[in-house]
């Protein structure tokens, strides 16, 4: 009944994913390749979580 009040976890994760990618881009531009690699790895973990949630939503 009040499903529209629930927050969408995928939407929040996509926002976090975009922020990590932007931070990684800035780190790369500044020449900090170690930070770039770390942020890229974190963004890939977030992306995997997004894909899992989307697959679960399709199944249900």
């Amino acid at each position: 009944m009040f499903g529209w009040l629930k927050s969408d976890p995928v939407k929040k994760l996509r926002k976090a994913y975009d922020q990590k990618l932007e931070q990684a881009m800035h780190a790369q531009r500044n020449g900090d390749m170690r930070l770039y690699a770390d942020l890229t790895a974190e963004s890939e973990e977030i992306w995997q979580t997004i894909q899992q949630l989307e697959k679960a939503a399709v199944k249900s």
Side-chain angles (χ1 to χ4, degrees), residues 3-52:
W4 56 274
L5 290 176
K6 294 181 184 178
S7 62
D8 185 13
V10 174
K11 186 175 180 181
K12 287 183 180 182
L13 285 173
R14 283 188 186 271
K15 185 174 181 179
Y17 174 73
D18 290 339
Q19 287 175 344
K20 287 289 181 188
L21 286 180
E22 186 173 347
Q23 290 173 352
M25 177 191 63
H26 290 296
Q28 185 181 28
R29 286 184 179 173
N30 290 331
D32 192 351
M33 298 312 286
R34 186 174 303 263
L35 179 60
Y36 168 74
D38 291 340
L39 290 170
T40 303
E42 289 176 22
S43 68
E44 287 299 317
E45 291 174 9
I46 294 171
W47 183 251
Q48 293 298 324
T49 306
I50 290 170
Q51 288 182 334
Q52 289 173 357

